[in-house]
Amino acid sequence: MSNQSEDTKQNGAVKIISGTTGKPISNSRRRFLSNAGMFSAGLVGSSLLAACGDSDFNRATVQDMDNDPRNAVSDAAVLQFALNLEYLEAEYYLRAVNDGMGLQDDDTGGGNMMPGTVIGPRTTSVDFTGDALIGRYAAEIASDELDHVQFLRMGLQGADSLIGRPSINLRASFDGAATAALRGAGAIDGNTTAQFDPYGSPLAFLIGAFIFEDVGVSAYKGGARFLSNPDFLEAAAGILSVEGYHAGLVRTILTSRAEDGATVSFPTMDQDDNAGNTGRIGLYDVITAISDARDSLDGDDDLDQGIGDRESSVDIYGSNVDATNIVPTDDRGITFSRSPAQIHNIAYLTPNAAQSGGFFPEGTRIPAMPALSTSGGNTP
């Protein structure tokens, strides 16, 4: 969805205009980075943002892939990349609806590859008692993500390329993501960290899901161009459409709750280990802060979009019409793509080149092309 000026159209970018501020909802990367100043080992700990020392997967390599992507990346590597993301999403949704139980043993190993450990959120699972419909949505998504894991595992096993589940952290990573977003939005200062338990409430669960779903959609769209087998491409398109449904649902419910005036508070800790909280922050502002945080990680372009606000609008034949921003699109009505390197920037919670961090404290597993596990950026 977009409300575009002529300058925006000519430059091929999209600006979703906030009626409240009169400024683009996205396109705030420089402001965000200047406020944040925190994507470093000091924010989440060296174990979560381990820097790579021998990465050669930089922008030049990405450019080489663009020149002839199907010769540069094998189908097995693309599917292994996708399976890592599905492992992450499956663990998040399954644990939320199944009393803290994630993937079972038969769905985690890979040949001689032992599965990594999973650290769940502080709360074991989500109490959907007061919001049963959200719980039913969550259960459907959990079932879909489990199906995706099993489907991709079956395809990779047939090609002797099955990988095990990597180590996943659903606790410190969400704390780091919340700290990044809140610092960038100016809600906390650079000496304060935040905690975020995505299983603390149904609304918190939806906020956590927002972090995953939009990234998954852009990952499948960006990765599809590397596939050469038409059967794999069709399957990837099918998974992409499912992830699109999931993302649209999450964004719709969040928009509805934001319209109802929902607010969120985050526990905090200052540099002297004094506990506090942020006070109540409007849900629209929280989602915008998350979107800005993702945008600050994945390169110079402003790609990401939040859900807008009460005054968002679109331009239809020169008329300004009130609207939502359920689907983040460009001026062609098409969702944007992210490269594997950009996806890893977000998953590792760093704008730099790294081989592990954030949600994947020991990195992802892509033995068909190990360099694909490295995030983008020119700084090790």
Side-chain angles (χ1 to χ4, degrees):
M1 185 274 286
S2 61
N3 182 1
Q4 306 163 51
S5 66
E6 288 303 316
D7 177 68
T8 302
K9 294 178 182 178
Q10 291 171 6
N11 287 286
V14 173
K15 296 180 180 178
I16 311 302
I17 303 301
S18 165
T20 301
T21 65
K23 299 178 180 179
I25 293 170
S26 188
N27 200 30
S28 54
R29 180 174 182 273
R30 289 183 179 84
R31 174 190 60 77
F32 186 94
L33 285 173
S34 64
N35 286 345
M38 70 317 191
F39 284 112
S40 66
L43 170 62
V44 219
S46 59
S47 63
L48 290 180
L49 290 181
C52 66
D54 57 353
S55 169
D56 61 355
F57 190 67
N58 54 25
R59 299 183 192 280
T61 309
V62 173
Q63 184 62 49
D64 291 341
M65 289 181 183
D66 288 341
N67 291 337
D68 197 355
R70 290 172 179 80
N71 288 336
V73 185
S74 68
D75 286 354
V78 176
L79 297 183
Q80 288 173 349
F81 164 69
L83 181 54
N84 279 282
L85 301 181
E86 296 296 345
Y87 278 137
L88 175 62
E89 292 190 345
E91 290 291 353
Y92 179 75
Y93 287 109
L94 287 171
R95 290 166 183 265
V97 302
N98 196 31
D99 296 326
M101 292 186 291
L103 291 166
Q104 301 303 291
D105 291 346
D106 288 345
D107 294 320
T108 60
N112 296 323
M113 188 180 294
M114 294 294 294
T117 58
V118 178
I119 299 175
R122 289 177 178 82
T123 304
T124 302
S125 60
V126 183
D127 182 1
F128 290 109
T129 304
D131 214 330
L133 181 58
I134 302 300
R136 289 162 57 195
Y137 287 141
E140 179 184 359
I141 296 175
S143 177
D144 290 341
E145 301 301 351
L146 174 57
D147 288 343
H148 292 168
V149 167
Q150 293 175 336
F151 172 75
L152 289 171
R153 281 176 57 86
M154 180 175 61
L156 285 166
Q157 188 169 26
D160 294 324
S161 299
L162 181 60
I163 57 170
R165 179 194 63 205
S167 294
I168 293 171
N169 191 310
L170 295 173
R171 185 175 303 179
S173 55
F174 275 112
D175 291 349
T179 299
L182 294 171
R183 284 184 182 176
I188 59 177
D189 62 34
N191 295 317
T192 303
T193 58
Q195 292 182 352
F196 174 44
D197 182 357
Y199 290 178
S201 69
L203 182 59
F205 166 79
L206 291 171
I207 294 171
F210 172 77
I211 295 174
F212 287 133
E213 290 301 338
D214 280 3
V215 175
V217 171
S218 61
Y220 272 101
K221 183 171 180 289
R225 66 193 302 267
F226 297 116
L227 290 168
S228 59
N229 185 312
D231 292 331
F232 291 160
L233 181 59
E234 182 179 13
I239 297 178
L240 169 59
S241 65
V242 173
E243 299 296 349
Y245 277 115
H246 294 169
L249 171 68
V250 170
R251 294 173 73 98
T252 297
I253 302 172
L254 286 171
T255 299
S256 177
R257 297 300 167 88
E259 286 288 302
D260 291 339
T263 60
V264 184
S265 179
F266 297 85
T268 61
M269 189 75 67
D270 67 17
Q271 59 185 343
D272 297 320
D273 294 331
N274 297 312
N277 64 72
T278 59
R280 308 303 298 185
I281 303 174
L283 183 57
Y284 271 132
D285 294 329
V286 170
I287 300 303
T288 297
I290 293 171
S291 174
D292 286 348
R294 292 189 306 216
D295 231 350
S296 73
L297 296 175
D298 62 6
D300 294 333
D301 294 332
D302 289 303
L303 299 174
D304 214 292
Q305 296 173 19
I307 57 175
D309 55 31
R310 288 188 177 88
E311 306 299 327
S312 296
S313 63
V314 293
D315 188 324
I316 299 178
Y317 290 128
S319 297
N320 216 34
V321 184
D322 292 342
T324 60
N325 192 40
I326 301 303
V327 185
T329 62
D330 62 16
D331 58 359
R332 304 164 297 171
I334 297 175
T335 56
F336 61 90
S337 303
R338 284 188 174 101
S339 69
Q342 290 175 307
I343 296 298
H344 281 93
N345 281 125
I346 296 173
Y348 293 165
L349 296 178
T350 176
N352 300 323
Q355 293 177 321
S356 62
F359 292 95
F360 296 104
E362 297 179 5
T364 56
R365 293 175 166 179
I366 310 179
M369 186 178 181
L372 211 61
S373 293
T374 303
S375 60
N378 293 320
T379 305

